[in-house]
Amino acid sequence: MKKLVLLFSLTLLVACKTSKVVTKEIPLDQTTTPTEEVIEDSKSEELTEIEKVEFIKLRPATVNAAQKQKAYELGKRILMTCNTSKFKPFTTAEATHSVINNITIDKLSTICNRYRTYYGTFNDIELVEVLKSTKNSSTIYRYKALYSKKVANKELRVTMNAASKVSAIQTMDWNNSL
């Protein structure tokens, strides 16, 4: 039995490959073609289409100011719901239909109760980095959420599509890498 567990663990370890995609920072003015990619891997194999660079890191100063402000306001509106318990639903000019349909007051209440318990009251969000997708020209704004308790850092990702509408909103634990 021990040999079987050891063999299974070894097989699992060999089967799991980790790769890290490093993005290159370029201004928004230039074209958004895939840039250099660095992948750390125990074996140097040829890259498939899935493993190629998917995002380009942009400097926040080079991003469209109106879209950046819109992403900030919409992201902050979601998290301020936890403090005020009042949510103004997104309009079709602000978000896609899937986002509008997925953000309900019930889902927000559940998330807010958990966040208030662990992290305290929400203060503000701070823009950390902006990523541009090379595949579908969407822009991801990564914000660090600031709460009254300094227990853990939370991240808010606001994804804006080419039409400057919110196409996704995610919260997760802060991670310095993608």
Side-chain angles (χ1 to χ4, degrees):
M1 184 69 177
K2 289 182 182 179
K3 290 181 181 180
L4 183 62
V5 170
L6 182 63
L7 181 64
F8 178 71
S9 299
L10 217 71
T11 307
L12 183 64
L13 182 66
V14 171
C16 293
K17 295 189 311 183
T18 59
S19 63
K20 182 177 179 183
V21 178
V22 178
T23 58
K24 183 178 177 183
E25 189 172 309
I26 63 169
L28 186 64
D29 305 358
Q30 297 178 1
T31 60
T32 56
T33 57
T35 60
E36 290 180 12
E37 57 218 17
V38 178
I39 296 186
E40 298 173 359
D41 197 349
S42 58
K43 300 174 186 174
S44 56
E45 300 174 347
E46 288 187 38
L47 298 175
T48 63
E49 286 295 317
I50 298 172
E51 294 175 321
K52 289 193 177 178
V53 172
E54 196 172 331
F55 296 100
I56 298 171
K57 186 176 178 179
L58 303 173
R59 283 180 291 221
T62 62
V63 179
N64 181 352
Q67 188 182 44
K68 184 170 48 172
Q69 183 63 28
K70 187 174 182 179
Y72 171 80
E73 289 171 359
L74 297 176
K76 189 171 179 178
R77 186 193 316 176
I78 288 285
L79 294 178
M80 280 302 287
T81 302
C82 297
N83 293 348
T84 62
S85 298
K86 295 177 183 174
F87 176 63
K88 179 183 169 193
F90 291 139
T91 63
T92 54
E94 296 171 330
T96 61
H97 290 289
S98 62
V99 171
I100 293 170
N101 294 337
N102 284 331
I103 296 179
T104 63
I105 194 68
D106 295 333
K107 288 181 183 179
L108 281 175
S109 299
T110 305
I111 292 169
C112 286
N113 288 335
R114 187 176 33 174
Y115 279 20
R116 247 184 280 133
T117 303
Y118 293 124
Y119 309 113
T121 58
F122 169 73
N123 294 329
D124 201 6
I125 54 178
E126 176 183 299
L127 181 63
V128 176
E129 71 180 349
V130 180
L131 304 167
K132 182 83 170 173
S133 174
T134 59
K135 293 185 178 182
N136 60 6
S137 72
S138 62
T139 307
I140 299 174
Y141 294 90
R142 291 185 69 204
Y143 293 99
K144 192 175 270 192
L146 306 172
Y147 287 92
S148 60
K149 295 180 185 177
K150 303 296 181 197
V151 178
N153 292 327
K154 294 300 286 179
E155 175 181 351
L156 176 73
R157 287 188 184 184
V158 179
T159 305
M160 303 287 280
N161 63 13
S164 290
K165 292 183 179 183
V166 175
S167 59
I169 294 180
Q170 298 173 315
T171 58
M172 59 195 75
D173 290 330
W174 180 259
N175 189 356
N176 287 332
S177 64
L178 285 177

